[in-house]
Amino acid sequence: YKETVDEMLLAIKNFPENFLLNLLLAYGYSQQKDHKNAVIYFKKCNELKPDDVSVINGLAFTEYSLNNIDSSLIYLEKALTIDPNNAQIYSMLGMIYNKQENFAKSDSAYERAITLDPEDALSLNNYAYSLAERGLMLERCLEMATKAVTKDSLNSSYLDTIGWIYFKLNDYNKAKDYIQKSLEIEPDNATVIDHLGDVYFKLGNKTKAKEYWKEAYKLDKEIKNLKQKIDKGGL
């Protein structure tokens, strides 16, 4: 991959205004989660084609990933003026408002996204997880998550979501099956490890629960209530 990027960087020195080269570099860096470099090339693409909604979307996601939330929202609002029925934009707005815990706006954006595109697995998954975290409409969450997993059965995030919904529905064995599958695909995901700890606790295996919580804490000390669970040995 590095050789490909080096070749494109060399090419872009000769053709700095080439839209496709800038776009390839932007998406390349984005896929590698190198958002600091991605944003440079997305901004260049946006200069070259200010009304390209897919570029604005990419730029908004990159700014969001860099924690520049206000900037991300500005880009998304601009994208909506160009394409007011773009489900992807509403889906991203839902994600951002959810992170800000502005749930009224988040739910409204997700509802719009799945109305515009009822088959979009990412929107279905993210909305289902957001509602499940709040213990809302769990049966509907299960329907949405099932649809997402059916579309992409090897997506670690989708498997964790459906597992977490089963946890909220007190079906701990099903929760364990899905969350373990998720962890097999993405073994270093602290949130999934934390979830599995909660499942084991509910299944009565407190020792295993604490092991998973400690492992999750090593990877991410910011997970809500994780330290308290470790300290008191329970939920």
Side-chain angles (χ1 to χ4, degrees):
Y1 171 80
K2 188 181 180 302
E3 285 173 14
T4 311
V5 168
D6 288 345
E7 283 170 18
M8 282 195 287
L9 286 169
L10 198 60
I12 216 158
K13 276 185 182 175
N14 297 319
F15 305 102
E17 304 300 303
N18 184 295
F19 177 78
L20 188 58
L21 276 174
N22 280 286
L23 191 64
L24 287 170
L25 275 165
Y27 281 123
Y29 280 124
S30 186
Q31 280 175 346
Q32 298 299 307
K33 297 190 172 152
D34 182 350
H35 301 296
K36 282 185 180 175
N37 273 314
V39 79
I40 295 164
Y41 295 99
F42 272 125
K43 280 183 174 174
K44 184 64 183 175
C45 289
N46 187 232
E47 278 174 33
L48 294 166
K49 288 191 181 181
D51 291 343
D52 188 309
V53 172
S54 64
V55 167
I56 300 169
N57 248 345
L59 189 46
F61 178 76
T62 306
E63 291 282 25
Y64 167 79
S65 303
L66 290 166
N67 220 27
N68 300 329
I69 305 297
D70 290 344
S71 179
S72 182
L73 287 171
I74 289 163
Y75 283 120
L76 290 169
E77 293 298 340
K78 184 193 172 190
L80 275 182
T81 63
I82 300 162
D83 187 359
N85 293 317
N86 188 306
Q88 248 191 320
I89 299 166
Y90 283 106
S91 183
M92 206 181 304
L93 282 169
M95 182 176 70
I96 292 171
Y97 288 132
N98 180 72
K99 190 177 184 180
Q100 293 180 323
E101 297 189 357
N102 187 339
F103 297 121
K105 277 191 170 182
S106 174
D107 292 352
S108 173
Y110 276 134
E111 289 288 355
R112 185 83 177 114
I114 61 173
T115 301
L116 289 164
D117 186 356
E119 302 302 312
D120 183 59
L122 184 63
S123 299
L124 292 165
N125 172 77
N126 290 355
Y127 190 26
Y129 188 80
S130 172
L131 290 169
E133 276 284 82
R134 291 174 275 149
L136 301 174
M137 296 188 278
L138 292 174
E139 293 298 338
R140 186 181 174 206
C141 289
L142 188 57
E143 282 174 29
M144 291 193 287
T146 302
K147 209 169 176 181
V149 166
T150 305
K151 287 184 168 296
D152 189 353
S153 62
L154 294 176
N155 186 305
S156 169
S157 175
Y158 299 176
L159 289 164
D160 177 59
T161 294
I162 196 168
W164 195 234
I165 293 163
Y166 276 119
F167 177 87
K168 295 281 186 176
L169 288 164
N170 306 322
D171 190 338
Y172 304 120
N173 285 310
K174 270 193 180 163
K176 180 168 153 263
D177 288 345
Y178 280 109
I179 294 170
Q180 274 183 330
K181 276 183 198 166
S182 171
L183 204 57
E184 282 165 22
I185 294 163
E186 200 178 342
D188 292 329
N189 188 310
T191 301
V192 180
I193 295 166
D194 176 39
H195 285 168
L196 198 52
D198 289 9
V199 171
Y200 273 114
F201 183 82
K202 288 290 189 180
L203 287 169
N205 193 334
K206 292 180 183 179
T207 308
K208 208 154 189 180
K210 204 165 182 180
E211 280 172 20
Y212 278 108
W213 289 334
K214 282 181 176 176
E215 194 184 331
Y217 190 70
K218 275 184 205 166
L219 292 165
D220 185 355
K221 292 177 173 55
E222 301 301 313
I223 294 176
K224 205 174 172 183
N225 301 326
L226 183 52
K227 183 76 166 67
Q228 293 93 308
K229 287 189 292 194
I230 294 165
D231 289 344
K232 73 175 189 179
L235 295 172

